[in-house]
Amino acid sequence: PSILFLRYAIIKMSSDTSGEPPPDDTDVHVDKHGQGHTHGHGHGHVEKPKSILNACASAVVNFLLMFGLCCAYGMIMFNDDWNRQHRALGVKMTLMTAMLMGLLLSYTSEIAVAIGGTDLNPVVFLGGFAETISADIAGQLSLVYPQAAGRRLSDERFLHAMSRCLGATGTVTSTDFCEGQHYDDNPSHCDEYHEQLRATMIFTVTVSSAALGLIFFCLGRFKWTRYVSYVPTSIMEAFLSCVGYKVFKYALKFCKYDPKQFIPAACIGVPLYFMKAMHIGNPAVVIPLMLLLPLGVFYFYIFVVSGSDLDYARKDKLMFPAMENIEFWKIWLDSLGKVDKINISAWTTTLADLAIMLIVVVLDCLLKISSTESKLPVTVNKDYEIQLHGLGNLATVACGSPVGYMQLKFNVINFGILGNIHDRRSGALYALLCGVCFFTTIELFNYLPRFFLGTLLFFAGAGFVAENLWGSRKYLSFREWIQILIILAVFIATGGLLYAVLAGGLLTGLDFIIRYSRVSCIVGKPLKGGALTTGERHNDLLENHLRHIANAWLLVIRLKGFIFFASAQSLTSYVRHRLDENSEVPAYRRLRYVVFDCQNLDAMDASASKAMKKIVEEAEEIGVKVLWSHVSAQLCRELLYRTIVRSQSDCFLDLEGLVISIQSQVSRYCDFLQRKWMSVHPAFQHTSMLMRGRESFEPFQHIFSMDVSRFGCPWQYCGRFSIHAQKTILWKPGQRSVDLFLVHSGAVGLFQEEPTWSKGTPRPVAIYRQGWFLNREMLIGAPTKYFAAALEDGELVCWNELRLSTLKMERPAMMSAICKEVTKQQVLDTELSKRALRANQARVDATPFEELIADGNGSTDDLFEFESEGSDILVQQSHHRKSAVCRPNDSVFDVFAKSRFLAGESQKMASRETLGEEEQPLPEPMLRQLVGIQAAQILEGLGLYASVADAADQEVVLPPLPEQFRQGLETAFFTYCALCGASTRIASSKVGQALMYAGVFNTSLAGEVPSRCTLDLDEFIALGHKALMAPLTASQVETIRNIMGRFDTGEIGSLGIDELVEIFRKMFHPQISMEEVDGIASEWAGEGSIRLNVTSFVAVVSRYIRIHESDWCLVQGIRELIGKDKGDPVTHSDKLVADMLVKNSHLPLTYEEAEELLWAADWRLGSSHLGDGLCISDLAAVVTLKV
């Protein structure tokens, strides 16, 4: 009943822990491949049906092996000859364990063929405890204990045995203790010695069993078995090898070191192990035959050949001295009945070895459980089995028996005989046979010769040597295997496992330090700030500038693993090297932030903390701020406690939040430098003022970049939506019929989960600002994604389905521009998301960490590659650039040729740029700016920017205003009249906004607005007419007519769209698109007409001149800065260097300030070509940069 109750308790606790009932051990088992089976189990076996004969045969074979081993275990526990009277007690104790664990496992284990009992590992430790305790008790009783002599004698006997193998002769002496004369001299002390030894050993066995049982139970109950594997494999294999050595030594001792006995024992026991391990033969036949046949030969020799008897064999030391049986109740009688005889002082001397025993036995138990899965076709629930062992050892504690657990070699033998994994009867019969011997007599031992027990010990010890000592070399490195040999050598030399443990700990500790110190505590290469991507979306130009500056300012070092004093040395050396480099570069390019990312950091020891604190202090001394990311609350407390950081503000929950914080610093720095650039030349300030005026008025700058899409007042087709920070939720996932939004001001974030601002600001997936479309899925009818919420106060422009439908019908060009920009942003957004995902993944660089210090920036190839149809003209003109400026009196052919030269220069500046080894195109805003600059130069070369005031003797013509432009102006006029509370007049203060509402930008109206307070419709349209169209003199009109005449191949006085595109590409810019040309020309083409007459062509050029007037203003400023004369072309080879900037700037600058401005603007080349100067394309980009 107790066994059944225990089984029920185990099942109940396992189901409570795992939430699932344990598998039925009588049903189908699942193999390691997840396939159920009841017949074929693998391992070369075909499952046999249950058979009582096979069960009985297996029980007898396993009992014979276990009984023989229990006899050996009893002798090992009390291996000294003067303690032989206690060996029967040791045999009884181990038999009790075999009975209890055998019954328990046969009824409750999920492995039906499991055989339980005590193991050699704990017995060897208990034998060592007995030696230690007996020596201490003898010392307390003032008895001269022959410990030292005994150990020397053992070695002498071993050497003597070896010498006898070589043919030497001699006798062996012995030492008597509490026997013969020594007992006669100390009878009372010797009796007290034996009583205390007996009681104390039973107590010692009980305590060790209780401790191990508790550990087993906790490991299974709380699923801690995975932590046991943290013990180094080499240490574990070395300890088991030491046990194997000691078992072999016991085998030699049992054979009295007599070659006639231990050689046959070894020749039988070792092959028997390999036959069992390699599944050679039927275990039911092989094992009894290998054990009983030599035993029969022995008895044949004693009784028949020599004609003697067993008494003669004992005198000849072929058999052990007779062991008297003791009654089973002596276990309790000599312990609980004699509590006063338990010597606690002597027991405490074993505590050091007890700690080692606990580790080794726990690992051995887990190893046997897990190895059962590889030896038998079963799936083992390790947590359940070891928990079962823990509860089962409660019974061994109550019986004062050694710890017991599953025996792998017996499991394999049992399965081999039974042929199936379901029959529990063999385990129960085996346990009953052990119980019979326990409760009756063990005098069967007196009929076993010495070599028989030696055979069993060689059989048991061969596994340690074959698997743990020699076999471990297959999966351990040579260095680790040498450690095993060294630990074993220390154990052999000292005879104490404690010294072997100390040696093993020292060896593995040193090996760990040496090897782990070579493992970098940094994930891959340290990252520069430009390599990091956040969810904040910027325009291409600003993003490149931020990355460029962040590359110099920010260094991110991703830590990993456990940092200790050795690995911290390489880390601090690298950081210190980077700090030393700061003194070699100008202040503006110096490293300002070092970030230690702790996402993969486990911990760091005190020495590493001290080293980190020192490097933080050194960094602060030179103005470098050390920050920490992915810092948990516990790590933050540790950093503060160790004074590595001084404030929680230096610690961030994630790397993205930290990078965004630093990017805001970089953005402010970019804004500061751009304001400096605005003061360098009035032309830069004028261009920037026009650009910022449009950005503050509307978000359509990069959407409606052409007249055909912008004119028509897009404000009529959209709505406005105010947002409030941390309050406005635009949409939730899965919603439909949500508007398409365009950010005008403020910021909107997308979140994976609905933000709850009361619990702190969550990290958004992406952040969008002016010019970005939101809910782009609306155009294809898809539902919304993420949660969209306002992060900053602002305003959105929105379109619903009705407005978009109206826009598509009435303004198809405007709708087309919106769709094009939405698609473009979708592609860019996807690429940025992929880049962020790649940046957040751990990238392990193959470059050794030691080479990082020597890593340089490398060289950059020539940035300009160009092949042009007009390359011959380019070569001819390359030596005469200053004379390449067109004058109004030049012939049309000369004008065309010089235009081709400037167009070639334009294509060079706008062509593919190369940075390092990767070729990448210029950002679209930068490319558009270059096209405008070159077009302005060509128009200037044609004399079309000559001042009208200088041609007083010529008639000035203002080409007519297209009807669509006029309608836009009228709409803007009446819209702002309503805002002013009037019906027919507009306030002069609102004129600028009204013109922008109509689509008039990049034009300065200084001096053009009448001084009176209000304007009527005619005055407003006249003002808009001047802002949209450039006035032309008669000579300029003639120049334009001549250009048209050259390309009017049919001489019919009109141009088709293909001819118009050819003119613009050959005269103004080779990369101008047909869409842009068509967008300009369509305003003047008649309804249904696709051709332009002379008047319309002059009007188109007039509008083109006005569009690029701000670009012409910018060119004048660039010319002055680089020291060129008025009218000289600005080409791709022109560079702005620091000397020029200091000399020609309108803002007083030092040389260092000029270098700082050039370096910050040169994001494509950076510091690699710092002395070469700033390209014109980069100079134009920084002037129009939107921060």
Side-chain angles (χ1 to χ4, degrees):
S2 61
I3 292 293
L4 293 176
F5 175 76
L6 188 59
R7 171 178 168 81
Y8 172 77
I10 291 292
I11 294 173
K12 186 68 172 67
M13 281 185 290
S14 296
S15 61
D16 290 344
T17 302
S18 62
E20 299 178 0
D24 186 355
D25 50 63
T26 61
D27 291 335
V28 177
H29 286 256
V30 180
D31 62 17
K32 289 188 285 186
H33 303 288
Q35 302 295 324
H37 54 87
T38 56
H39 299 287
H41 293 281
H43 298 271
H45 298 279
V46 177
E47 183 163 311
K48 302 177 183 177
K50 294 181 181 179
S51 170
I52 188 62
L53 294 178
N54 287 340
C56 292
S58 177
V60 171
V61 170
N62 282 293
F63 163 71
L64 290 176
L65 282 174
M66 181 57 73
F67 180 80
L69 287 175
C70 285
C71 294
Y73 294 163
M75 298 190 66
I76 290 174
M77 288 175 64
F78 301 99
N79 68 90
D80 293 316
D81 289 339
W82 51 85
N83 293 329
R84 61 177 173 269
Q85 61 178 286
H86 308 297
R87 290 173 179 172
L89 175 67
V91 176
K92 288 279 188 175
M93 295 166 70
T94 54
L95 281 172
M96 170 60 83
T97 299
M99 180 189 71
L100 293 174
M101 295 305 298
L103 286 174
L104 175 72
L105 295 181
S106 67
Y107 275 93
T108 60
S109 174
E110 293 180 1
I111 306 171
V113 296
I115 299 292
T118 194
D119 193 76
L120 187 58
N121 278 303
V123 170
V124 169
F125 280 98
L126 293 174
F129 295 167
E131 291 181 2
T132 304
I133 290 172
S134 60
D136 192 79
I137 293 175
Q140 294 180 28
L141 296 174
S142 301
L143 295 174
V144 178
Y145 188 76
Q147 180 180 11
R151 287 186 178 175
R152 286 195 299 270
L153 185 59
S154 296
D155 296 335
E156 290 171 2
R157 286 177 176 175
F158 182 74
L159 295 175
H160 181 68
M162 294 299 102
S163 66
R164 289 182 63 185
C165 290
L166 298 175
T169 59
T171 59
V172 177
T173 63
S174 62
T175 301
D176 295 331
F177 176 76
C178 284
E179 295 179 339
Q181 185 63 41
H182 186 262
Y183 179 81
D184 294 339
D185 294 339
N186 306 278
S188 60
H189 286 170
C190 285
D191 291 340
E192 182 68 18
Y193 163 80
H194 285 295
E195 288 185 355
Q196 289 191 23
L197 176 62
R198 199 179 190 94
T200 306
M201 273 303 297
I202 297 174
F203 174 77
T204 301
V205 171
T206 303
V207 171
S208 65
S209 298
L212 286 166
L214 180 62
I215 293 174
F216 289 165
F217 176 78
C218 292
L219 288 176
R221 185 72 173 84
F222 302 107
K223 302 185 183 301
W224 291 343
T225 53
R226 60 185 183 275
Y227 298 117
V228 181
S229 60
Y230 289 174
V231 177
T233 303
S234 58
I235 291 287
M236 187 59 202
E237 300 293 353
F239 290 165
L240 295 177
S241 299
C242 292
V243 172
Y245 160 78
K246 203 160 188 177
V247 171
F248 276 4
K249 191 175 178 181
Y250 283 132
L252 294 173
K253 184 176 182 180
F254 288 175
C255 295
K256 305 302 285 186
Y257 301 99
D258 184 0
K260 292 186 298 184
Q261 298 189 62
F262 71 72
I263 290 179
C267 291
I268 298 171
V270 174
L272 180 61
Y273 162 77
F274 284 105
M275 294 181 72
K276 185 270 299 182
M278 301 173 68
H279 305 287
I280 299 176
N282 188 343
V285 177
V286 172
I287 294 177
L289 185 64
M290 293 285 288
L291 293 177
L292 297 180
L293 183 61
L295 195 60
V297 172
F298 172 79
Y299 280 113
F300 180 81
Y301 171 79
I302 293 297
F303 291 106
V304 178
V305 176
S306 64
S308 58
D309 55 14
L310 295 180
D311 292 335
Y312 176 80
R314 284 191 175 88
K315 291 179 182 178
D316 201 27
K317 297 183 178 179
L318 296 177
M319 299 187 71
F320 294 101
M323 181 186 296
E324 296 182 3
N325 181 55
I326 65 169
E327 301 300 336
F328 66 88
W329 57 77
K330 294 285 287 183
I331 296 176
W332 294 277
L333 188 63
D334 290 343
S335 56
L336 296 178
K338 298 180 180 180
V339 177
D340 58 315
K341 299 300 182 181
I342 299 175
N343 194 324
I344 299 299
S345 175
W347 171 75
T348 57
T349 60
T350 66
L351 292 180
D353 289 334
L354 177 61
I356 303 171
M357 174 188 177
L358 297 179
I359 297 174
V360 173
V361 173
V362 167
L363 291 173
D364 181 57
C365 178
L366 287 172
L367 183 64
K368 283 180 168 57
I369 293 175
S370 60
S371 297
T372 299
E373 195 170 34
S374 61
K375 299 290 185 181
L376 303 181
V378 294
T379 299
V380 180
N381 185 345
K382 300 179 182 62
D383 292 324
Y384 171 80
E385 294 295 335
I386 199 166
Q387 184 179 351
L388 176 64
H389 292 347
L391 288 176
N393 276 291
L394 292 177
T396 64
V397 171
C399 297
S401 303
V403 65
Y405 46 90
M406 187 181 298
Q407 297 299 296
L408 178 61
K409 51 182 172 288
F410 288 88
N411 293 350
V412 175
I413 293 170
N414 191 22
F415 170 69
I417 297 174
L418 294 175
N420 66 77
I421 57 172
H422 305 301
D423 199 342
R424 297 180 179 272
R425 293 173 295 182
S426 59
L429 292 173
Y430 147 83
L432 292 176
L433 290 174
C434 293
V436 169
C437 288
F438 172 77
F439 287 111
T440 57
T441 182
I442 59 170
E443 290 187 356
L444 179 62
F445 168 80
N446 294 328
Y447 298 94
L448 300 178
R450 288 182 178 272
F451 89 90
F452 183 81
L453 290 189
T455 297
L456 294 178
L457 290 180
F458 277 117
F459 168 73
F464 293 103
V465 176
E467 297 177 10
N468 303 113
L469 180 60
W470 182 250
S472 60
R473 65 185 178 83
K474 296 180 180 179
Y475 54 86
L476 294 178
S477 65
F478 180 75
R479 178 188 303 185
E480 292 171 328
W481 192 64
I482 290 298
Q483 292 175 11
I484 295 178
L485 297 181
I486 294 175
I487 295 172
L488 180 60
V490 171
F491 176 73
I492 295 173
T494 61
L497 194 58
L498 180 61
Y499 297 106
V501 170
L502 294 176
L506 180 62
L507 278 175
T508 55
L510 289 175
D511 182 62
F512 173 81
I513 292 173
I514 293 172
R515 298 180 69 174
Y516 198 77
S517 63
R518 297 175 182 174
V519 177
S520 173
C521 57
I522 300 178
V523 181
K525 283 187 177 183
L527 299 177
K528 294 182 178 181
L532 303 170
T533 304
T534 67
E536 184 134 12
R537 302 295 189 250
H538 305 285
N539 61 72
D540 290 350
L541 217 51
L542 179 58
E543 182 73 20
N544 287 320
H545 279 84
L546 294 178
R547 289 178 181 276
H548 165 54
I549 296 173
N551 273 333
W553 283 17
L554 175 60
L555 178 69
V556 176
I557 300 175
R558 296 169 293 169
L559 305 178
K560 68 174 181 178
F562 182 85
I563 304 178
F564 66 112
F565 59 90
S567 57
Q569 180 63 33
S570 59
L571 172 62
T572 55
S573 297
Y574 172 76
V575 176
R576 191 170 286 111
H577 175 80
R578 292 301 305 267
L579 295 178
D580 291 341
E581 289 180 343
N582 257 13
S583 60
E584 301 174 4
V585 296
Y588 55 86
R589 286 175 49 204
R590 290 177 183 171
L591 184 66
R592 300 192 182 188
Y593 302 98
V594 173
V595 175
F596 291 115
D597 183 53
C598 306
Q599 183 175 15
N600 299 313
L601 177 67
D602 295 329
M604 51 182 156
D605 65 4
S607 299
S609 299
K610 186 176 180 180
M612 297 298 285
K613 178 183 177 182
K614 185 176 181 181
I615 203 68
V616 169
E617 292 173 348
E618 292 178 9
E620 288 180 349
E621 290 177 359
I622 60 174
V624 177
K625 185 72 172 177
V626 177
L627 302 172
W628 304 75
S629 64
H630 283 108
V631 178
S632 63
Q634 179 181 354
L635 179 58
C636 183
R637 287 192 296 268
E638 291 180 6
L639 294 175
L640 288 170
Y641 176 75
R642 296 176 178 180
T643 64
I644 298 176
V645 299
R646 298 180 181 178
S647 172
Q648 290 185 1
S649 60
D650 295 340
C651 301
F652 291 78
L653 290 176
D654 54 33
L655 182 59
E656 183 174 352
L658 188 151
V659 174
I660 290 176
S661 175
I662 294 177
Q663 276 189 351
S664 64
Q665 302 288 337
V666 177
S667 296
R668 285 192 284 271
Y669 175 73
C670 289
D671 185 64
F672 168 74
L673 292 184
Q674 193 185 32
R675 294 181 186 279
K676 269 192 171 183
W677 275 112
M678 299 309 102
S679 302
V680 165
H681 196 279
F684 295 170
Q685 188 171 10
H686 173 74
T687 303
S688 178
M689 180 190 67
L690 295 177
M691 181 196 68
R692 289 174 184 268
R694 179 172 185 179
E695 289 175 355
S696 63
F697 181 79
E698 67 172 25
F700 306 132
Q701 179 178 6
H702 300 296
I703 303 171
F704 306 136
S705 56
M706 295 179 293
D707 286 347
V708 67
S709 57
R710 176 57 184 82
F711 278 96
C713 296
W715 291 106
Q716 296 181 93
Y717 302 95
C718 63
R720 300 192 182 196
F721 185 81
S722 297
I723 57 175
H724 304 281
Q726 301 185 2
K727 293 181 180 179
T728 305
I729 302 294
L730 295 176
W731 69 76
K732 297 180 180 180
Q735 294 181 344
R736 297 182 183 272
S737 301
V738 178
D739 292 355
L740 173 69
F741 296 100
L742 176 64
V743 181
H744 184 194
S745 59
V748 175
L750 299 185
F751 299 86
Q752 293 278 9
E753 299 177 356
E754 186 170 4
T756 52
W757 310 106
S758 59
K759 298 180 181 179
T761 304
R763 178 68 55 212
V765 176
I767 302 174
Y768 299 94
R769 298 185 184 276
Q770 188 188 46
W772 280 89
F773 281 99
L774 305 176
N775 189 30
R776 295 182 287 262
E777 295 79 12
M778 180 261 195
L779 290 179
I780 59 173
T784 56
K785 297 180 179 179
Y786 304 107
F787 292 87
L791 299 177
E792 298 175 5
D793 293 343
E795 184 181 63
L796 306 181
V797 178
C798 56
W799 293 267
N800 57 24
E801 292 182 357
L802 179 60
R803 285 170 175 160
L804 288 177
S805 178
T806 303
L807 185 66
K808 181 178 180 181
M809 290 186 295
E810 297 182 4
R811 303 293 180 189
M814 193 177 294
M815 183 63 185
S816 175
I818 291 177
C819 293
K820 181 178 179 181
E821 183 65 21
V822 166
T823 304
K824 189 188 307 179
Q825 289 188 12
Q826 186 69 37
V827 173
L828 178 60
D829 210 5
T830 302
E831 180 59 33
L832 290 174
S833 298
K834 290 180 179 179
R835 188 189 304 172
L837 183 62
R838 290 193 299 267
N840 291 334
Q841 293 175 343
R843 289 168 286 180
V844 180
D845 200 298
T847 305
F849 179 71
E850 290 75 10
E851 296 181 12
L852 296 180
I853 296 177
D855 184 33
N857 291 325
S859 59
T860 306
D861 297 334
D862 184 17
L863 294 184
F864 299 99
E865 300 176 3
F866 173 66
E867 287 186 11
S868 165
E869 180 186 351
S871 58
D872 52 339
I873 300 178
L874 179 62
V875 173
Q876 296 171 11
Q877 300 290 340
S878 61
H879 300 289
H880 308 283
R881 288 177 180 170
K882 288 191 177 182
S883 60
V885 182
C886 301
R887 305 301 179 192
N889 56 354
D890 287 336
S891 67
V892 174
F893 178 80
D894 291 338
V895 169
F896 175 70
K898 294 170 185 178
S899 299
R900 286 291 303 275
F901 162 70
L902 290 174
E905 292 296 313
S906 169
Q907 187 167 346
K908 275 194 173 184
M909 295 181 68
S911 67
R912 200 171 45 185
E913 305 293 334
T914 305
L915 183 59
E917 297 180 356
E918 298 182 0
E919 295 183 351
Q920 57 181 6
L922 290 173
E924 185 176 351
M926 197 170 175
L927 181 60
R928 192 182 303 122
Q929 185 69 44
L930 288 177
V931 171
I933 288 175
Q934 296 306 319
Q937 290 191 85
I938 294 169
L939 291 172
E940 181 190 39
L942 293 170
L944 300 180
Y945 278 119
S947 176
V948 175
D950 295 338
D953 56 336
Q954 297 187 38
E955 180 185 0
V956 177
V957 177
L958 185 63
L961 191 67
E963 184 60 28
Q964 187 172 337
F965 287 5
R966 178 179 292 276
Q967 291 176 2
L969 290 171
E970 289 178 355
T971 300
F973 176 81
F974 289 113
T975 299
Y976 273 84
C977 281
L979 292 176
C980 297
S983 58
T984 58
R985 303 191 69 84
I986 185 175
S988 58
S989 59
K990 299 293 184 179
V991 168
Q993 295 182 27
L995 289 175
M996 288 191 288
Y997 186 88
V1000 181
F1001 302 100
N1002 300 333
T1003 302
S1004 176
L1005 298 176
E1008 299 290 341
V1009 180
S1011 59
R1012 51 186 179 274
C1013 296
T1014 60
L1015 282 75
D1016 59 17
L1017 177 60
D1018 293 335
E1019 292 173 329
F1020 179 77
I1021 291 178
L1023 185 62
H1025 192 176
K1026 292 181 180 179
L1028 287 168
M1029 310 296 293
L1032 301 172
T1033 63
S1035 59
Q1036 292 172 334
V1037 171
E1038 185 62 25
T1039 300
I1040 297 172
R1041 288 175 179 270
N1042 292 338
I1043 294 174
M1044 178 179 174
R1046 174 173 178 77
F1047 289 92
D1048 183 12
T1049 55
E1051 297 183 358
I1052 59 177
S1054 64
L1055 296 173
I1057 187 63
D1058 53 340
E1059 295 171 320
L1060 188 62
V1061 171
E1062 183 182 7
I1063 290 177
F1064 272 85
R1065 287 182 176 175
K1066 290 187 176 181
M1067 293 297 301
F1068 302 122
H1069 197 280
Q1071 292 184 351
I1072 193 169
S1073 65
M1074 179 176 291
E1075 182 183 17
E1076 184 175 355
V1077 176
D1078 187 45
I1080 299 173
S1082 61
E1083 306 298 335
W1084 283 269
E1087 185 174 353
S1089 173
I1090 57 173
R1091 301 189 67 85
L1092 295 178
N1093 56 28
V1094 175
T1095 304
S1096 297
F1097 180 73
V1098 171
V1100 167
V1101 175
S1102 172
R1103 174 61 185 153
Y1104 196 66
I1105 293 170
R1106 183 63 83 186
I1107 289 174
H1108 293 292
E1109 189 174 31
S1110 61
D1111 298 319
W1112 174 65
C1113 180
L1114 181 60
V1115 168
Q1116 290 178 308
I1118 293 174
R1119 279 201 191 104
E1120 187 174 339
L1121 277 184
I1122 62 178
K1124 285 201 169 187
D1125 296 334
K1126 183 178 180 181
D1128 286 350
V1130 176
T1131 67
H1132 78 283
S1133 58
D1134 292 324
K1135 300 290 182 66
L1136 176 64
V1137 296
D1139 290 332
M1140 294 179 182
L1141 188 56
V1142 172
K1143 179 181 178 181
N1144 301 322
S1145 171
H1146 288 229
L1147 175 70
L1149 295 172
T1150 64
Y1151 187 82
E1152 185 178 13
E1153 289 175 332
E1155 281 193 325
E1156 180 180 7
L1157 288 173
L1158 297 177
W1159 167 79
D1162 194 7
W1163 60 269
R1164 290 185 299 117
L1165 300 181
S1167 58
S1168 58
H1169 292 72
L1170 191 61
D1172 297 342
L1174 185 66
C1175 295
I1176 299 306
S1177 56
D1178 295 312
L1179 177 58
V1182 75
V1183 172
T1184 58
L1185 180 65
K1186 173 189 174 183
V1187 181

